[in-house]
Amino acid sequence: MKNTALTHVHEALGAKLVPFAGYNMPVQYEGVNIEHETVRNGVGVFDVSHMGEFLILGPNATALIQKVCSNDASKLFDGKAQYSCMPNNEGGIVDDLIIYRINEEKYVLVVNASNIQKDWDWIASHNDVGAEMKDVSENFSLLAIQGPKAAKAMQSLTSVDLENMKYYTFEIADFAGIEHTIISATGYTGSGGFEIYCKNSEVEQVWNKVMEAGAEYGIKPIGLAARDTLRLEMGFCLYGNDINDTTSPIEAGLGWITKFTKEFTNSEYLKKQKEQGPERRLVAFELDDRGIPRQGYDIVDGNGHKIGEVTSGTMSPSLKKGIGLGYVPSVFKEVGSKINIQIRKNVVPATVVKLPFYKG
């Protein structure tokens, strides 16, 4: 197992560490519900340094990104970030990612930790345009400072006006005494905040100053378990659960990042699927009765026939009810549709709802 540059800090804080994507990662400190509420109502900090970062460089950088990614990177400007995915040739998804445009010849792609090698090989295999590629995943750390109090709590650490940073923009600027960090108004929690990219050698200083500056706002370290409940309340897809090599972006409700204004891997197939309508769709549901839906549980119709399965599920700390995502035949996709979740021996009724679950 690899460690992040902060693993010893998490150990000292009493974190419960688990293997995740090849790293020892903090799954929780005080407990999922406490940490979840901290981010929803205040400010918390995640070490997500296991994520991968690639640099795509040179005059053909944009061309390579346009070729492998579903979203339209030509809409990006310097300092803008974009959520996208990389389709495969079989109608599925290689990975989802965030693209940062530093300038027209320099992009950072942030990919999922468990897919770093797979993604690198995929992009490299499509790089017939001569773009320069660098995998800098091992050199960089990433902190996610999330919650409604994040901007106020962190403002003393930077000259950037955090309150007025627009969602999905970023600046390369000073933060916590480090000259060149990426400060990004992105996140995976739905409660606002920032992500800070810096070198491994700098991250402990950044972490300590973040904890100092956030102390009066009640900042706490947050683990991956609360990260999962927070993202699920927003209906954000998790690669390996809700999207994978066999799920298309159209089925997954990611048509909004699938732009047919250009050609990209398998775009013809996906365009046809969008026009005809996919046979199945990823839906969000809430349980009508008590119970906790878990990944892998069957979704059944009124006659007890299996029609799909839960891809992500939990007891929502904010809503105090069972919520989940899962693929079902498209006939069940409308809000208000009734489905059932097989929870061990019990069949629990559920209703398809509009995302996000948590409305803030």
Side-chain angles (χ1 to χ4, degrees):
M1 284 292 133
K2 295 178 187 170
N3 291 324
T4 75
L6 292 173
T7 301
H8 64 287
V9 174
H10 306 312
E11 285 171 339
L13 289 166
K16 181 184 175 188
L17 296 169
V18 298
F20 184 83
Y23 282 84
N24 285 314
M25 296 298 290
V27 68
Q28 64 180 47
Y29 300 84
E30 284 180 82
V32 180
N33 288 352
I34 295 169
E35 292 169 32
H36 183 106
E37 293 304 319
T38 297
V39 175
R40 281 281 176 255
N41 302 313
V43 58
V45 57
F46 304 78
D47 174 14
V48 281
S49 303
H50 61 315
M51 299 292 280
E53 293 89 14
F54 303 155
L55 293 176
I56 309 292
L57 308 164
N60 292 321
T62 310
L64 176 58
I65 290 166
Q66 287 288 65
K67 192 175 176 183
V68 296
C69 294
S70 64
N71 210 335
D72 188 354
S74 72
K75 298 281 189 277
L76 288 170
F77 49 83
D78 297 357
K80 181 81 175 110
Q82 183 183 70
Y83 179 57
S84 192
C85 79
M86 294 187 287
N88 63 24
N89 292 312
E90 286 75 50
I93 297 171
V94 178
D95 202 4
D96 62 337
L97 71 162
I98 297 180
I99 302 163
Y100 291 87
R101 175 172 150 147
I102 292 169
N103 59 51
E104 64 181 339
E105 294 195 8
K106 187 173 187 180
Y107 294 83
V108 180
L109 309 187
V110 180
V111 301
N112 284 301
S114 51
N115 290 337
I116 292 172
Q117 191 61 51
K118 179 177 104 165
D119 292 356
W120 176 266
D121 293 344
W122 178 260
I123 299 167
S125 73
H126 289 78
N127 185 16
D128 56 6
V129 294
E132 187 186 347
M133 297 171 56
K134 286 184 184 171
D135 180 358
V136 296
S137 308
E138 296 279 332
N139 309 331
F140 281 83
S141 292
L142 171 57
L143 300 182
I145 304 159
Q146 297 284 294
K149 294 180 182 172
K152 277 194 175 67
M154 295 299 114
Q155 189 56 70
S156 65
L157 298 180
T158 181
S159 58
V160 174
D161 180 359
L162 296 179
E163 286 278 7
N164 290 310
M165 270 189 90
K166 289 192 166 62
Y167 192 45
Y168 264 73
T169 65
F170 69 94
E171 291 196 36
I172 296 174
D174 58 290
F175 189 86
I178 307 295
E179 278 307 303
H180 300 285
T181 64
I182 293 179
I183 305 169
S184 170
T186 50
Y188 196 46
T189 64
S191 283
F194 306 91
E195 296 189 303
I196 309 295
Y197 298 82
C198 63
K199 291 178 183 157
N200 291 344
S201 57
E202 301 165 339
V203 72
E204 193 165 354
Q205 175 180 322
V206 174
W207 175 277
N208 290 337
K209 294 209 171 184
V210 163
M211 295 304 276
E212 269 171 47
E216 64 180 291
Y217 296 89
I219 198 168
K220 289 181 178 179
I222 313 294
L224 291 181
R227 185 173 164 86
D228 195 50
T229 55
L230 289 157
R231 70 94 195 165
L232 184 49
E233 285 186 349
M234 301 310 297
F236 295 151
C237 288
L238 173 62
Y239 195 90
N241 284 43
D242 316 300
I243 51 176
N244 60 37
D245 291 305
T246 69
T247 59
S248 90
I250 306 303
E251 293 171 337
L254 297 176
W256 62 281
I257 63 163
T258 311
K259 303 288 170 55
F260 300 108
T261 48
K262 54 157 200 162
E263 282 184 24
F264 56 87
T265 312
N266 216 16
S267 55
E268 277 306 306
Y269 169 86
L270 294 174
K271 187 177 184 184
K272 193 177 288 182
Q273 188 182 55
K274 186 172 188 178
E275 287 164 358
Q276 293 174 350
E279 289 178 13
R280 61 174 190 163
R281 284 295 295 268
L282 185 67
V283 298
F285 62 85
E286 291 181 357
L287 295 190
D288 299 338
D289 293 340
R290 290 177 59 137
I292 304 175
R294 300 285 186 202
Q295 183 189 18
Y297 283 6
D298 286 350
I299 301 174
V300 298
D301 64 15
N303 298 316
H305 298 131
K306 180 178 175 176
I307 55 170
E309 69 178 40
V310 177
T311 55
S312 289
T314 194
M315 173 60 72
S316 162
S318 302
L319 308 178
K320 309 288 190 275
K321 63 169 79 167
I323 62 169
L325 302 173
Y327 286 93
V328 294
S330 291
V331 66
F332 293 97
K333 79 176 194 296
E334 300 305 329
V335 169
S337 295
K338 295 294 181 183
I339 55 175
N340 300 281
I341 312 301
Q342 184 80 47
I343 301 180
R344 290 181 287 279
K345 290 180 182 172
N346 299 325
V347 175
V348 181
T351 303
V352 173
V353 297
K354 190 173 190 288
L355 287 171
F357 296 103
Y358 174 76
K359 306 293 195 285

